[in-house]
Amino acid sequence: MPSLSKEHFDLYSAFHVPETHAWPSSHLHDHPIAGDGGACIPVIDISDPDAASIVGGACSSWGVFYATSHGIPADLLNQVESHARRLFSLPLHRKLQTAPRDGSLSGYGRPPLSSFFPQLMWSEGFTLAGHDQLAVTSQLCPFDSFSFCEVMEAYRKEMKKLAGRLMRLMLLSLGLDEEEMGQVGPIKELSQAAAEVIQLNSYPTCPEPERAIGMAAHTDSAFLTVLHQSDGAGGLQVLRDEDESGSARWVDVLPRPDTLVVNIGDLFRILSNGRFKNVRHRAVVSRADHRISAACFVGPPAHIKVGSISKLVDMRLGPIYRPVTWPEYLEIRTRLFDKALDSVKFQEKGLEKD
């Protein structure tokens, strides 16, 4: 019988969903689920000559799209998934040895969102931030930490290149030219010292998926997130706001061959002065499928303040948001969670815009 300790519950050996992981129906079923299986989410060949305008349309209307011609070798993606599965298959007590400590973000643990909810989520994660991953994974002996780190470092480098391509397309779509992009702090710095955080996620099979959630609804804090998800195991959903097709609804972002999922985060909404949509998303769980995903969060270096691009600001009204650094914004999120973005808005009255 698995332990029901709130801190150390083993999801893989569960026969039922304990109360610590049971979510109210009002949260799980706050909106209907669309029946089109994500068929309407844009699929964009980012090597297309018109990719910038197509990407811009997707970022403005959806905040998410599938990217093809992304350049990440299929073999590398397969290796990332294989290593992640091996990592998460280790005994729980071994994984807990790598829990983040001494101010490090890297290591094993529950989703960071857990602190905002009384219930726990049906998932586990492993964060790789900075260059301390070998020190962290070496504690998992007999796990092959050297091979793991080689693969993850190769993945990080490929994601860094892809992030540069995506940022360029997005800024071009906003009307910037090559010279102006060189003057925008975050894109100028991106090729030199961008911050990438890799998050490996495991969503084990769940005996009662109608009572649990893999990842609660949220937006990402970074500029953008690039996600690889295991073939055949759906679970990611994005919230589509009310439009001419119907009321607000959850839309499945099903795995598609040879694509990566790209979604816009809060910092790009600030950078675009509200033009790009920071899409709200969640992960549901399955009775049959164990889902693995590998997310790369891309943001500015810690010292760069992100504010609205001046070219996009109506000078009569001023920018919508005040400039913030990524660490500053993350600190605000730890206090306010999904109200963080509203908290950095300039008010119509009473707050001077510098």
Side-chain angles (χ1 to χ4, degrees):
M1 187 74 178
S3 166
L4 297 186
S5 164
K6 185 173 182 178
E7 295 295 326
H8 307 305
F9 180 66
D10 186 359
L11 301 175
Y12 295 90
S13 58
F15 298 107
H16 65 91
V17 172
E19 290 305 310
T20 52
H21 291 68
W23 288 66
S25 178
S26 58
H27 187 101
L28 300 177
H29 306 293
D30 53 349
H31 300 288
I33 297 175
D36 52 19
C40 48
I41 294 175
V43 181
I44 303 174
D45 179 349
I46 61 172
S47 67
D48 188 294
D50 297 322
S53 63
I54 303 170
V55 164
C59 292
S60 298
S61 62
W62 278 90
V64 63
F65 60 91
Y66 293 102
T68 67
S69 300
H70 48 70
I72 310 294
D75 181 60
L76 178 58
L77 294 173
N78 291 336
Q79 290 183 62
V80 168
E81 183 178 336
S82 176
H83 276 286
R85 288 191 183 277
R86 289 183 57 229
L87 173 68
F88 289 120
S89 70
L90 291 171
L92 179 59
H93 71 276
R94 288 265 182 84
K95 291 180 285 191
L96 288 170
Q97 292 172 359
T98 70
R101 55 177 62 89
D102 300 327
S104 172
L105 296 175
S106 295
Y108 172 85
R110 300 197 311 268
L113 300 179
S114 297
S115 60
F116 298 108
F117 301 95
Q119 301 87 5
L120 295 177
M121 298 171 215
W122 202 266
S123 60
E124 55 183 352
F126 198 91
T127 305
L128 295 166
H131 298 282
D132 56 354
Q133 56 188 14
L134 182 58
V136 173
T137 57
S138 63
Q139 303 172 61
L140 294 172
C141 183
F143 185 73
D144 188 352
S145 59
F146 287 100
S147 177
F148 176 89
C149 290
E150 285 180 354
V151 168
M152 294 304 159
E153 179 62 13
Y155 186 58
R156 185 192 67 79
K157 289 179 178 178
E158 291 291 340
M159 282 293 174
K160 185 182 184 73
K161 290 189 291 186
L162 176 58
R165 290 176 64 193
L166 291 168
M167 286 287 291
R168 178 179 175 277
L169 289 172
M170 291 171 183
L171 291 174
L172 285 172
S173 79
L174 291 169
L176 275 70
D177 57 32
E178 298 286 353
E179 182 179 351
E180 290 170 320
M181 280 193 286
Q183 300 169 1
V184 178
I187 188 62
K188 184 178 180 181
E189 296 270 351
L190 190 61
S191 61
Q192 303 169 10
E196 307 97 10
V197 177
I198 293 175
Q199 176 73 27
L200 306 176
N201 298 306
S202 173
Y203 302 93
T205 56
C206 180
E208 299 172 284
E210 69 281 358
R211 300 184 65 216
I213 190 78
M215 193 74 70
H218 65 287
T219 61
D220 293 335
S221 66
F223 278 143
L224 57 91
T225 305
V226 183
L227 180 79
H228 167 66
Q229 49 185 346
S230 52
D231 290 340
L236 176 63
Q237 296 178 334
V238 297
L239 186 63
R240 180 66 166 164
D241 291 335
E242 182 176 359
D243 58 16
E244 65 278 359
S245 298
S247 60
R249 59 218 180 264
W250 290 107
V251 178
D252 289 315
V253 187
L254 300 175
R256 296 176 65 103
D258 305 317
T259 68
L260 295 172
V261 178
V262 180
N263 69 266
I264 296 299
D266 294 350
L267 288 184
F268 219 125
R269 184 162 181 84
I270 293 174
L271 188 68
S272 68
N273 201 40
R275 296 195 185 188
F276 282 1
K277 180 179 175 60
N278 54 328
V279 68
R280 193 168 180 81
H281 54 285
R282 68 179 186 178
V284 297
V285 290
S286 165
R287 184 177 280 106
D289 294 317
H290 176 197
R291 177 173 175 261
I292 294 288
S293 70
C296 182
F297 302 103
V298 181
H303 65 283
I304 292 290
K305 276 189 175 290
V306 177
S308 299
I309 297 170
S310 58
K311 187 174 184 177
L312 307 178
V313 175
D314 185 326
M315 301 319 297
R316 297 169 300 166
L317 302 176
I320 298 174
Y321 304 98
R322 68 175 177 85
V324 288
T325 65
W326 197 7
E328 178 187 359
Y329 186 70
L330 287 173
E331 191 279 328
I332 295 171
R333 290 245 311 190
T334 61
R335 294 184 285 106
L336 302 179
F337 186 42
D338 57 0
K339 295 180 175 60
L341 192 61
D342 283 342
S343 78
V344 299
K345 271 187 175 180
F346 283 116
Q347 303 300 314
E348 293 185 5
K349 296 180 179 180
L351 184 58
E352 182 180 350
K353 301 177 182 181
D354 297 326

